[in-house]
Amino acid sequence: MIRHVVLFTWTEDATDEQKAAVAPELRKLPAAIPQIRSYTVGPDAGINPGNHHFAVVADFDSVADFETYRDHPLHQAVIAERIKPIVASRAAAQLSL
């Protein structure tokens, strides 16, 4: 199994509307990309200062399934339209479980 973890920090000028639009768009992806086994997305809970603002945790059966998700046109559209315009930093890792 491959676990994909991504953390985003938003720009200071990102609006609440822009930030709120990310999760609903990402949550549409499991219905469109059957290779996704588990998908959790959402804003940081605000418990610790200095955290990233948003996280994605996704599980896949194989590297090929992850690559299908990574390159899928709907996923790429969410990145281009919703995430890139407001992202200040991104950290990611893929874990082999």
Side-chain angles (χ1 to χ4, degrees), residues 29 32 43 48 73 76 79 82:
L29 297 179
N48 290 326
Q76 289 300 312
I79 293 169
R82 301 293 182 182

Side-chain angles (χ1 to χ4, degrees), residues 77-89:
V78 174
I79 293 169
E81 297 167 13
R82 301 293 182 182
I83 295 172
K84 280 190 178 181
I86 63 170
V87 73
S89 68

Side-chain angles (χ1 to χ4, degrees), residues 17 19-20 23 33-34 36 38 41 48 55 61-62 65 71 75 77:
E17 181 181 76
K19 293 183 274 189
I33 307 171
I36 298 171
S38 173
V41 304
N48 290 326
D61 289 337
S62 67
D65 286 352
D71 300 336
H75 179 230

Side-chain angles (χ1 to χ4, degrees), residues 10-61:
W10 304 135
T11 61
E12 288 185 23
D13 61 339
T15 68
D16 289 342
E17 181 181 76
Q18 287 174 305
K19 293 183 274 189
V22 174
E25 291 301 315
L26 287 172
R27 288 184 182 127
K28 293 176 184 177
L29 297 179
I33 307 171
Q35 289 82 359
I36 298 171
R37 291 290 164 245
S38 173
Y39 203 65
T40 304
V41 304
D44 179 66
I47 298 167
N48 290 326
N51 282 359
H52 288 273
H53 299 140
F54 193 90
V56 176
V57 179
D59 292 336
F60 305 90
D61 289 337

